[in-house]
Amino acid sequence: MALPRPKIPQPPPHPIPTLQTLSFKHSVYGLLNPCYVPSGAPDLHDDTPSISSSGSLHNDSAQRAQSCATILAHPSTQLLLSRSPIKEVPTIIISFHRTFATHLRLAHWSGPWFNVTVFWGNHDTDDSPDAKNKILISLDERFGVEWVTGEDEGLAFRSKFGGMEGPDANAPEGVGKAGAEVWVSNV
């Protein structure tokens, strides 16, 4: 279950829009490209090249901005965002097409921590023009992720994100990569 956000959350290690300039890769989950959700700004994204926290210039920032604009304009994403507190809570959307998921929503909690919710929408698969056939489901799978910065940058997913089950299963202890159930490296 998602943790309630503190009344005065700590700032993240870098501005949250910086996440959109990064790509993360995992051998099982593939490439994850975060898209920052502007809080009601008419211009979805600034197409100016950005410098990542590692200091490298992303030459494809205009292409990423266009990709994110497409993802954020998608009907499933729009429905998801209409039910999200994006004006109050900085939000990241990751397109995550799997059997039981289409999106990950990362809502900033405090400091480097985000609450993660898995969603599934059928706006891509249902050919019916009837809007009542279009659905979006929150799978009540709520996880945590830590945005780890520095030399070994990545996303450290926790709270049974990798499906940790069984009476003898133990979550890793610690912070950063050491405490990750699923570690997704910045590439």
Side-chain angles (χ1 to χ4, degrees):
M1 180 143 185
L3 293 173
R5 194 165 195 235
K7 288 187 190 287
I8 304 174
Q10 296 296 309
H14 299 286
I16 292 175
T18 304
L19 275 167
Q20 184 168 301
T21 69
L22 305 174
S23 291
F24 301 92
K25 187 164 179 124
H26 185 271
S27 60
V28 173
Y29 297 110
L31 192 63
L32 303 180
N33 290 314
C35 293
Y36 173 69
V37 179
S39 59
D43 182 18
L44 281 180
H45 301 283
D46 178 5
D47 289 341
T48 341
S50 303
I51 296 185
S52 75
S53 58
S54 62
S56 62
L57 185 65
H58 285 267
N59 296 327
D60 63 346
S61 64
Q63 184 179 2
R64 174 62 81 79
Q66 181 56 46
S67 173
C68 283
T70 300
I71 289 167
L72 295 178
H74 190 275
S76 286
T77 310
Q78 286 295 301
L79 184 56
L80 184 161
L81 294 175
S82 73
R83 298 176 180 174
S84 300
I86 61 172
K87 288 188 184 321
E88 299 85 21
V89 180
T91 302
I92 296 289
I93 297 292
I94 299 175
S95 182
F96 191 70
H97 290 278
R98 306 294 184 272
T99 303
F100 296 108
T102 57
H103 299 81
L104 298 177
R105 180 186 64 196
L106 283 64
H108 182 248
W109 183 71
S110 185
W113 297 95
F114 291 79
N115 285 316
V116 181
T117 306
V118 177
F119 286 89
W120 178 85
N122 72 341
H123 290 78
D124 286 341
T125 59
D126 183 6
D127 293 332
S128 169
D130 191 351
K132 70 181 180 187
N133 293 328
K134 310 287 187 188
I135 60 172
L136 181 72
I137 300 170
S138 168
L139 300 175
D140 281 337
E141 295 287 346
R142 298 174 200 257
F143 309 102
V145 66
E146 178 186 3
W147 177 15
V148 180
T149 58
E151 196 171 308
D152 196 9
E153 187 162 17
L155 299 174
F157 285 90
R158 305 170 194 284
S159 309
K160 301 182 183 177
F161 185 83
M164 184 182 67
E165 296 179 17
D168 57 347
N170 294 311
E173 294 182 14
V175 294
K177 189 175 182 177
E181 292 170 11
V182 174
W183 173 253
V184 186
S185 298
N186 181 22
V187 292

